[in-house]
Amino acid sequence: MKILALQGSPRKKGNTNRILDEMIKGAQDNGHEVIKYYLEKLDINPCSGCEICAKGKDCRYDDDGAEIINQLAEGASVILASPIYFGQMTAQAKTIVDRFYSIFNNPDKKFAGKAAMIFTHAYPDKDIYETYIKLTEAQPFLNNTELEYIETLEVAGVKFIGDADKAEDDLKKAYEIGQKF
Ligand SMILES: Cc1cc2nc3c(=O)[nH]c(=O)nc-3n(C[C@H](O)[C@H](O)[C@H](O)COP(=O)(O)O)c2cc1C
């Protein structure tokens, strides 16, 4: 299976990246091909709402986002990884999520494969983001794609680069989720 690992933190060597790499390792050890995308450095236009996809046409943007979207439409699985910024995923992550619309809204395209998410945040408790994470599992994943949803890994209490190295339980869990692809 091909898996696209979408790294939505602007910190290239930050906590999200550390946890994501462990999930990637789990998937690779299970024989899957993983392509990692560092979203911050890619040219990804936000969805313009032009609705051309509703007519069965490809997205108007032929950018790095199209490279990701085309593979998803061909059946690739996906890991979406992002830190929490003011209670939500980063702008980098949301920009590619909105481009999922060009598959969801296209009568001739659909998703296949599996999906998982990673959220990291500094706040030490998990209850505060429960509603947001449930909503994000529902949309886009459960409600708007045919992807088989595996699980969300929420890593709490990580703020500075390197904090995730100490999150041994979460690193182990990330690897285990990777193995579920
Ligand atoms: C702009 C900004 C907003 C943030 N907002 C939140 C927040 O709402 N809640 C929280 O717990 N942490 C928040 N954080 C902290 C990050 O989620 C935390 O440092 C995370 O580990 C960063 O992941 P990274 O190392 O992969 O970049 C914020 C950090 C930044 C830079």
Side-chain angles (χ1 to χ4, degrees), residues 7 9-18 82-88 120-124 128-129 155 158-163:
Q7 206 287 66
S9 171
R11 298 204 296 200
K12 197 170 187 183
K13 303 271 179 207
N15 297 311
T16 309
N17 188 68
R18 176 75 179 89
S82 175
I84 292 285
Y85 274 14
F86 287 117
Q88 301 173 42
T120 66
H121 58 80
Y123 192 74
I128 186 172
Y129 299 119
V155 181
V158 289
K159 181 171 171 70
F160 301 108
I161 291 175
D163 282 353

Side-chain angles (χ1 to χ4, degrees), residues 92-152:
Q92 291 87 341
K94 186 61 163 66
T95 302
I96 190 65
V97 165
D98 283 354
R99 294 284 294 278
F100 287 11
Y101 192 71
S102 65
I103 301 176
F104 163 77
N105 199 38
N106 187 317
D108 303 325
K109 294 186 182 182
K110 63 176 182 167
F111 294 85
K114 299 183 180 182
M117 282 193 292
I118 296 167
F119 283 113
T120 66
H121 58 80
Y123 192 74
D125 297 328
K126 290 196 173 172
D127 30 318
I128 186 172
Y129 299 119
E130 195 182 332
T131 310
Y132 174 71
I133 289 173
K134 282 272 162 264
L135 175 67
T136 312
E137 287 173 352
Q139 287 199 286
F141 292 104
L142 297 170
N143 291 359
N144 306 126
T145 75
E146 297 81 14
L147 293 162
E148 181 189 325
Y149 197 72
I150 300 174
E151 201 170 328
T152 302

